[in-house]
mmCIF file of all heavy atoms in Angstrom:
data_model
loop_
_atom_site.group_PDB
_atom_site.id
_atom_site.type_symbol
_atom_site.label_atom_id
_atom_site.label_comp_id
_atom_site.label_asym_id
_atom_site.label_seq_id
_atom_site.Cartn_x
_atom_site.Cartn_y
_atom_site.Cartn_z
ATOM 1 N N PRO A 1 0.827 -1.210 -0.037
ATOM 2 C CA PRO A 1 0.026 -0.015 0.032
ATOM 3 C C PRO A 1 0.852 1.238 0.007
ATOM 4 O O PRO A 1 1.860 1.352 0.696
ATOM 5 C CB PRO A 1 -0.771 -0.140 1.306
ATOM 6 C CG PRO A 1 -0.868 -1.582 1.530
ATOM 7 C CD PRO A 1 0.421 -2.122 1.072
ATOM 8 N N LEU A 2 0.488 2.271 -0.765
ATOM 9 C CA LEU A 2 1.301 3.444 -0.962
ATOM 10 C C LEU A 2 1.668 4.119 0.315
ATOM 11 O O LEU A 2 2.785 4.534 0.471
ATOM 12 C CB LEU A 2 0.558 4.401 -1.930
ATOM 13 C CG LEU A 2 1.353 5.655 -2.320
ATOM 14 C CD1 LEU A 2 2.717 5.294 -2.936
ATOM 15 C CD2 LEU A 2 0.515 6.507 -3.265
ATOM 16 N N LEU A 3 0.672 4.206 1.256
ATOM 17 C CA LEU A 3 1.003 4.886 2.503
ATOM 18 C C LEU A 3 1.963 4.096 3.381
ATOM 19 O O LEU A 3 2.567 4.708 4.305
ATOM 20 C CB LEU A 3 -0.276 5.130 3.312
ATOM 21 C CG LEU A 3 -1.281 6.119 2.709
ATOM 22 C CD1 LEU A 3 -2.571 6.215 3.540
ATOM 23 C CD2 LEU A 3 -0.637 7.508 2.559
ATOM 24 N N GLN A 4 2.164 2.843 3.132
ATOM 25 C CA GLN A 4 3.200 2.049 3.860
ATOM 26 C C GLN A 4 4.472 1.852 3.089
ATOM 27 O O GLN A 4 5.351 1.174 3.552
ATOM 28 C CB GLN A 4 2.541 0.610 4.102
ATOM 29 C CG GLN A 4 1.316 0.648 4.925
ATOM 30 C CD GLN A 4 0.679 -0.694 5.027
ATOM 31 O OE1 GLN A 4 1.278 -1.765 4.943
ATOM 32 N NE2 GLN A 4 -0.688 -0.710 5.362
ATOM 33 N N ALA A 5 4.582 2.476 1.916
ATOM 34 C CA ALA A 5 5.778 2.340 1.137
ATOM 35 C C ALA A 5 6.918 3.219 1.600
ATOM 36 O O ALA A 5 7.238 4.241 1.060
ATOM 37 C CB ALA A 5 5.497 2.695 -0.352
ATOM 38 N N THR A 6 7.411 2.850 2.797
ATOM 39 C CA THR A 6 8.479 3.567 3.494
ATOM 40 C C THR A 6 9.449 2.550 4.134
ATOM 41 O O THR A 6 9.176 1.335 4.137
ATOM 42 C CB THR A 6 7.856 4.407 4.630
ATOM 43 O OG1 THR A 6 7.226 3.520 5.554
ATOM 44 C CG2 THR A 6 6.842 5.456 4.091
ATOM 45 N N VAL A 7 10.564 3.047 4.604
ATOM 46 C CA VAL A 7 11.443 2.149 5.332
ATOM 47 C C VAL A 7 10.738 1.521 6.545
ATOM 48 O O VAL A 7 10.851 0.310 6.722
ATOM 49 C CB VAL A 7 12.727 2.893 5.722
ATOM 50 C CG1 VAL A 7 13.569 2.085 6.724
ATOM 51 C CG2 VAL A 7 13.571 3.271 4.523
ATOM 52 N N PRO A 8 10.055 2.272 7.417
ATOM 53 C CA PRO A 8 9.355 1.672 8.482
ATOM 54 C C PRO A 8 8.341 0.610 8.030
ATOM 55 O O PRO A 8 8.118 -0.430 8.684
ATOM 56 C CB PRO A 8 8.643 2.793 9.222
ATOM 57 C CG PRO A 8 9.541 4.011 8.924
ATOM 58 C CD PRO A 8 9.978 3.774 7.498
ATOM 59 N N GLY A 9 7.684 0.898 6.862
ATOM 60 C CA GLY A 9 6.695 -0.032 6.382
ATOM 61 C C GLY A 9 7.376 -1.408 6.006
ATOM 62 O O GLY A 9 6.835 -2.482 6.236
ATOM 63 N N LEU A 10 8.560 -1.353 5.411
ATOM 64 C CA LEU A 10 9.243 -2.523 5.039
ATOM 65 C C LEU A 10 9.823 -3.247 6.260
ATOM 66 O O LEU A 10 9.848 -4.504 6.266
ATOM 67 C CB LEU A 10 10.463 -2.185 4.099
ATOM 68 C CG LEU A 10 10.049 -1.803 2.678
ATOM 69 C CD1 LEU A 10 11.257 -1.175 1.944
ATOM 70 C CD2 LEU A 10 9.484 -2.906 1.856
ATOM 71 N N VAL A 11 10.183 -2.487 7.286
ATOM 72 C CA VAL A 11 10.640 -3.122 8.485
ATOM 73 C C VAL A 11 9.467 -3.968 9.103
ATOM 74 O O VAL A 11 9.657 -5.050 9.633
ATOM 75 C CB VAL A 11 11.171 -2.089 9.543
ATOM 76 C CG1 VAL A 11 11.395 -2.694 10.909
ATOM 77 C CG2 VAL A 11 12.424 -1.457 8.934
ATOM 78 N N SER A 12 8.290 -3.339 9.120
ATOM 79 C CA SER A 12 7.070 -4.042 9.627
ATOM 80 C C SER A 12 6.807 -5.347 8.837
ATOM 81 O O SER A 12 6.434 -6.331 9.430
ATOM 82 C CB SER A 12 5.879 -3.114 9.541
ATOM 83 O OG SER A 12 6.029 -2.025 10.395
ATOM 84 N N TYR A 13 7.038 -5.273 7.543
ATOM 85 C CA TYR A 13 6.907 -6.406 6.678
ATOM 86 C C TYR A 13 7.852 -7.583 7.106
ATOM 87 O O TYR A 13 7.437 -8.699 7.178
ATOM 88 C CB TYR A 13 7.101 -6.074 5.198
ATOM 89 C CG TYR A 13 6.875 -7.162 4.202
ATOM 90 C CD1 TYR A 13 5.577 -7.459 3.680
ATOM 91 C CD2 TYR A 13 7.975 -8.002 3.841
ATOM 92 C CE1 TYR A 13 5.362 -8.467 2.779
ATOM 93 C CE2 TYR A 13 7.773 -9.032 2.955
ATOM 94 C CZ TYR A 13 6.472 -9.256 2.444
ATOM 95 O OH TYR A 13 6.281 -10.283 1.570
ATOM 96 N N VAL A 14 9.097 -7.195 7.347
ATOM 97 C CA VAL A 14 10.110 -8.271 7.693
ATOM 98 C C VAL A 14 9.750 -8.747 9.110
ATOM 99 O O VAL A 14 9.896 -9.970 9.328
ATOM 100 C CB VAL A 14 11.515 -7.556 7.741
ATOM 101 C CG1 VAL A 14 12.550 -8.502 8.293
ATOM 102 C CG2 VAL A 14 11.878 -7.162 6.306
ATOM 103 N N GLU A 15 9.302 -7.883 10.030
ATOM 104 C CA GLU A 15 8.862 -8.390 11.357
ATOM 105 C C GLU A 15 7.814 -9.377 11.236
ATOM 106 O O GLU A 15 7.801 -10.519 11.895
ATOM 107 C CB GLU A 15 8.466 -7.224 12.158
ATOM 108 C CG GLU A 15 9.577 -6.297 12.623
ATOM 109 C CD GLU A 15 9.107 -5.097 13.361
ATOM 110 O OE1 GLU A 15 7.931 -4.624 13.131
ATOM 111 O OE2 GLU A 15 9.826 -4.552 14.270
ATOM 112 N N SER A 16 6.818 -9.146 10.354
ATOM 113 C CA SER A 16 5.731 -10.106 10.168
ATOM 114 C C SER A 16 6.214 -11.416 9.526
ATOM 115 O O SER A 16 5.803 -12.481 9.927
ATOM 116 C CB SER A 16 4.662 -9.489 9.244
ATOM 117 O OG SER A 16 3.594 -10.345 9.039
ATOM 118 N N PHE A 17 7.146 -11.250 8.606
ATOM 119 C CA PHE A 17 7.693 -12.433 7.898
ATOM 120 C C PHE A 17 8.460 -13.352 8.921
ATOM 121 O O PHE A 17 8.302 -14.552 8.951
ATOM 122 C CB PHE A 17 8.706 -11.964 6.865
ATOM 123 C CG PHE A 17 9.375 -13.091 6.113
ATOM 124 C CD1 PHE A 17 8.794 -13.775 5.103
ATOM 125 C CD2 PHE A 17 10.741 -13.437 6.391
ATOM 126 C CE1 PHE A 17 9.430 -14.803 4.362
ATOM 127 C CE2 PHE A 17 11.327 -14.440 5.747
ATOM 128 C CZ PHE A 17 10.678 -15.152 4.722
ATOM 129 N N VAL A 18 9.263 -12.740 9.759
ATOM 130 C CA VAL A 18 10.009 -13.433 10.807
ATOM 131 C C VAL A 18 9.066 -14.219 11.731
ATOM 132 O O VAL A 18 9.237 -15.333 12.059
ATOM 133 C CB VAL A 18 10.916 -12.524 11.561
ATOM 134 C CG1 VAL A 18 11.530 -13.201 12.761
ATOM 135 C CG2 VAL A 18 12.102 -12.041 10.691
ATOM 136 N N GLU A 19 7.973 -13.528 12.088
ATOM 137 C CA GLU A 19 7.040 -14.042 13.029
ATOM 138 C C GLU A 19 6.236 -15.226 12.452
ATOM 139 O O GLU A 19 6.070 -16.312 13.030
ATOM 140 C CB GLU A 19 6.009 -12.925 13.477
ATOM 141 C CG GLU A 19 4.931 -13.507 14.428
ATOM 142 C CD GLU A 19 3.935 -12.448 14.770
ATOM 143 O OE1 GLU A 19 4.096 -11.230 14.392
ATOM 144 O OE2 GLU A 19 2.921 -12.751 15.480
ATOM 145 N N LYS A 20 5.778 -15.006 11.181
ATOM 146 C CA LYS A 20 4.933 -16.081 10.516
ATOM 147 C C LYS A 20 5.741 -17.302 10.232
ATOM 148 O O LYS A 20 5.237 -18.473 10.322
ATOM 149 C CB LYS A 20 4.359 -15.508 9.216
ATOM 150 C CG LYS A 20 3.256 -14.475 9.479
ATOM 151 C CD LYS A 20 2.035 -15.057 10.150
ATOM 152 C CE LYS A 20 0.900 -14.045 10.221
ATOM 153 N NZ LYS A 20 -0.322 -14.636 10.920
ATOM 154 N N LEU A 21 7.022 -17.153 9.853
ATOM 155 C CA LEU A 21 7.875 -18.343 9.573
ATOM 156 C C LEU A 21 8.472 -18.932 10.833
ATOM 157 O O LEU A 21 9.188 -19.907 10.714
ATOM 158 C CB LEU A 21 9.001 -17.956 8.612
ATOM 159 C CG LEU A 21 8.646 -18.216 7.138
ATOM 160 C CD1 LEU A 21 7.546 -17.374 6.600
ATOM 161 C CD2 LEU A 21 9.925 -18.139 6.253
ATOM 162 N N GLN A 22 8.213 -18.279 11.948
ATOM 163 C CA GLN A 22 8.660 -18.734 13.271
ATOM 164 C C GLN A 22 10.204 -19.005 13.189
ATOM 165 O O GLN A 22 10.643 -20.083 13.582
ATOM 166 C CB GLN A 22 7.925 -20.023 13.612
ATOM 167 C CG GLN A 22 6.440 -19.898 13.838
ATOM 168 C CD GLN A 22 5.733 -21.107 14.289
ATOM 169 O OE1 GLN A 22 6.199 -22.210 14.158
ATOM 170 N NE2 GLN A 22 4.487 -20.878 14.787
ATOM 171 N N LEU A 23 10.923 -18.045 12.772
ATOM 172 C CA LEU A 23 12.349 -18.098 12.731
ATOM 173 C C LEU A 23 12.968 -18.126 14.118
ATOM 174 O O LEU A 23 12.272 -17.709 15.084
ATOM 175 C CB LEU A 23 12.978 -16.921 11.956
ATOM 176 C CG LEU A 23 12.581 -16.808 10.467
ATOM 177 C CD1 LEU A 23 13.377 -15.721 9.793
ATOM 178 C CD2 LEU A 23 12.704 -18.119 9.827
ATOM 179 N N PRO A 24 14.190 -18.673 14.306
ATOM 180 C CA PRO A 24 14.796 -18.882 15.610
ATOM 181 C C PRO A 24 14.885 -17.455 16.315
ATOM 182 O O PRO A 24 14.853 -16.335 15.714
ATOM 183 C CB PRO A 24 16.141 -19.427 15.301
ATOM 184 C CG PRO A 24 16.023 -20.067 13.982
ATOM 185 C CD PRO A 24 15.041 -19.215 13.234
ATOM 186 N N THR A 25 15.105 -17.527 17.625
ATOM 187 C CA THR A 25 15.170 -16.372 18.458
ATOM 188 C C THR A 25 16.271 -15.408 17.960
ATOM 189 O O THR A 25 16.102 -14.166 17.971
ATOM 190 C CB THR A 25 15.479 -16.743 19.976
ATOM 191 O OG1 THR A 25 14.406 -17.614 20.278
ATOM 192 C CG2 THR A 25 15.489 -15.491 20.817
ATOM 193 N N GLU A 26 17.391 -15.980 17.571
ATOM 194 C CA GLU A 26 18.486 -15.175 16.971
ATOM 195 C C GLU A 26 18.928 -15.609 15.576
ATOM 196 O O GLU A 26 18.846 -16.864 15.384
ATOM 197 C CB GLU A 26 19.711 -15.218 17.919
ATOM 198 C CG GLU A 26 19.479 -14.486 19.269
ATOM 199 C CD GLU A 26 20.724 -14.393 20.045
ATOM 200 O OE1 GLU A 26 21.735 -14.980 19.659
ATOM 201 O OE2 GLU A 26 20.734 -13.712 21.106
ATOM 202 N N PHE A 27 19.231 -14.639 14.757
ATOM 203 C CA PHE A 27 19.711 -15.067 13.382
ATOM 204 C C PHE A 27 20.586 -13.997 12.940
ATOM 205 O O PHE A 27 20.780 -12.887 13.522
ATOM 206 C CB PHE A 27 18.502 -15.244 12.433
ATOM 207 C CG PHE A 27 17.503 -14.094 12.394
ATOM 208 C CD1 PHE A 27 17.730 -12.942 11.616
ATOM 209 C CD2 PHE A 27 16.388 -14.143 13.208
ATOM 210 C CE1 PHE A 27 16.892 -11.941 11.543
ATOM 211 C CE2 PHE A 27 15.492 -13.058 13.205
ATOM 212 C CZ PHE A 27 15.684 -12.037 12.374
ATOM 213 N N THR A 28 21.269 -14.263 11.793
ATOM 214 C CA THR A 28 22.205 -13.289 11.148
ATOM 215 C C THR A 28 21.452 -12.562 10.037
ATOM 216 O O THR A 28 20.772 -13.202 9.225
ATOM 217 C CB THR A 28 23.406 -13.992 10.533
ATOM 218 O OG1 THR A 28 24.077 -14.753 11.594
ATOM 219 C CG2 THR A 28 24.382 -12.993 9.940
ATOM 220 N N LEU A 29 21.541 -11.262 10.043
ATOM 221 C CA LEU A 29 20.767 -10.350 9.064
ATOM 222 C C LEU A 29 21.756 -9.725 8.144
ATOM 223 O O LEU A 29 22.735 -9.151 8.526
ATOM 224 C CB LEU A 29 19.961 -9.429 9.851
ATOM 225 C CG LEU A 29 18.945 -8.518 9.048
ATOM 226 C CD1 LEU A 29 17.965 -9.423 8.369
ATOM 227 C CD2 LEU A 29 18.200 -7.692 10.128
ATOM 228 N N LEU A 30 21.534 -9.931 6.789
ATOM 229 C CA LEU A 30 22.367 -9.282 5.740
ATOM 230 C C LEU A 30 21.430 -8.422 4.895
ATOM 231 O O LEU A 30 20.336 -8.795 4.590
ATOM 232 C CB LEU A 30 22.967 -10.317 4.859
ATOM 233 C CG LEU A 30 23.989 -11.355 5.460
ATOM 234 C CD1 LEU A 30 23.346 -12.474 6.190
ATOM 235 C CD2 LEU A 30 24.853 -11.886 4.325
ATOM 236 N N GLY A 31 22.070 -7.270 4.513
ATOM 237 C CA GLY A 31 21.242 -6.376 3.625
ATOM 238 C C GLY A 31 22.148 -5.595 2.671
ATOM 239 O O GLY A 31 23.211 -5.144 3.029
ATOM 240 N N ASN A 32 21.652 -5.478 1.429
ATOM 241 C CA ASN A 32 22.331 -4.671 0.428
ATOM 242 C C ASN A 32 21.471 -3.413 0.171
ATOM 243 O O ASN A 32 20.271 -3.503 -0.078
ATOM 244 C CB ASN A 32 22.500 -5.477 -0.833
ATOM 245 C CG ASN A 32 22.976 -4.621 -2.059
ATOM 246 O OD1 ASN A 32 22.306 -4.562 -3.088
ATOM 247 N ND2 ASN A 32 24.155 -3.988 -1.910
ATOM 248 N N SER A 33 22.126 -2.226 0.057
ATOM 249 C CA SER A 33 21.508 -0.992 -0.318
ATOM 250 C C SER A 33 20.324 -0.735 0.586
ATOM 251 O O SER A 33 20.461 -0.688 1.786
ATOM 252 C CB SER A 33 21.144 -1.098 -1.773
ATOM 253 O OG SER A 33 20.791 0.203 -2.289
ATOM 254 N N LEU A 34 19.116 -0.588 -0.003
ATOM 255 C CA LEU A 34 17.876 -0.350 0.850
ATOM 256 C C LEU A 34 17.702 -1.497 1.873
ATOM 257 O O LEU A 34 17.284 -1.248 2.966
ATOM 258 C CB LEU A 34 16.673 -0.226 -0.038
ATOM 259 C CG LEU A 34 15.385 -0.170 0.715
ATOM 260 C CD1 LEU A 34 15.172 1.159 1.425
ATOM 261 C CD2 LEU A 34 14.185 -0.373 -0.280
ATOM 262 N N GLY A 35 18.020 -2.741 1.420
ATOM 263 C CA GLY A 35 17.930 -3.826 2.333
ATOM 264 C C GLY A 35 18.815 -3.693 3.543
ATOM 265 O O GLY A 35 18.456 -4.179 4.608
ATOM 266 N N GLY A 36 20.009 -3.058 3.435
ATOM 267 C CA GLY A 36 20.815 -2.828 4.581
ATOM 268 C C GLY A 36 20.154 -1.861 5.503
ATOM 269 O O GLY A 36 20.241 -1.970 6.756
ATOM 270 N N HIS A 37 19.518 -0.788 4.941
ATOM 271 C CA HIS A 37 18.790 0.190 5.740
ATOM 272 C C HIS A 37 17.679 -0.483 6.544
ATOM 273 O O HIS A 37 17.588 -0.220 7.770
ATOM 274 C CB HIS A 37 18.226 1.245 4.761
ATOM 275 C CG HIS A 37 17.932 2.586 5.383
ATOM 276 N ND1 HIS A 37 17.915 3.706 4.712
ATOM 277 C CD2 HIS A 37 17.541 2.887 6.636
ATOM 278 C CE1 HIS A 37 17.587 4.748 5.530
ATOM 279 N NE2 HIS A 37 17.302 4.247 6.719
ATOM 280 N N VAL A 38 16.958 -1.317 5.853
ATOM 281 C CA VAL A 38 15.878 -2.052 6.556
ATOM 282 C C VAL A 38 16.442 -2.958 7.669
ATOM 283 O O VAL A 38 15.904 -3.047 8.741
ATOM 284 C CB VAL A 38 15.033 -2.841 5.511
ATOM 285 C CG1 VAL A 38 14.055 -3.729 6.249
ATOM 286 C CG2 VAL A 38 14.321 -1.906 4.533
ATOM 287 N N ALA A 39 17.563 -3.575 7.390
ATOM 288 C CA ALA A 39 18.190 -4.408 8.345
ATOM 289 C C ALA A 39 18.672 -3.663 9.585
ATOM 290 O O ALA A 39 18.517 -4.109 10.706
ATOM 291 C CB ALA A 39 19.416 -5.151 7.725
ATOM 292 N N LEU A 40 19.160 -2.460 9.384
ATOM 293 C CA LEU A 40 19.586 -1.646 10.510
ATOM 294 C C LEU A 40 18.395 -1.260 11.404
ATOM 295 O O LEU A 40 18.498 -1.311 12.558
ATOM 296 C CB LEU A 40 20.288 -0.407 9.999
ATOM 297 C CG LEU A 40 21.761 -0.564 9.475
ATOM 298 C CD1 LEU A 40 22.140 0.658 8.624
ATOM 299 C CD2 LEU A 40 22.694 -0.784 10.622
#
């Protein structure tokens, strides 16, 4: 959605992805360009 097309919006998407896939408590995060920004 256009109003969510922001860095915080993408961070929320990754948070939901991690939760739904039930990823381990700790993991290694890698990001390139905008992906690095979202990772930070």
Side-chain angles (χ1 to χ4, degrees):
L2 184 58
L3 292 177
Q4 297 174 25
T6 60
V7 170
L10 289 169
V11 172
S12 295
Y13 182 88
V14 173
E15 289 174 330
S16 179
F17 178 79
V18 168
E19 179 184 354
K20 290 293 185 182
L21 264 67
Q22 298 182 342
L23 297 189
T25 303
E26 291 189 352
F27 52 85
T28 303
L29 189 55
L30 295 80
N32 170 241
S33 193
L34 173 70
H37 200 151
V38 173
L40 285 163

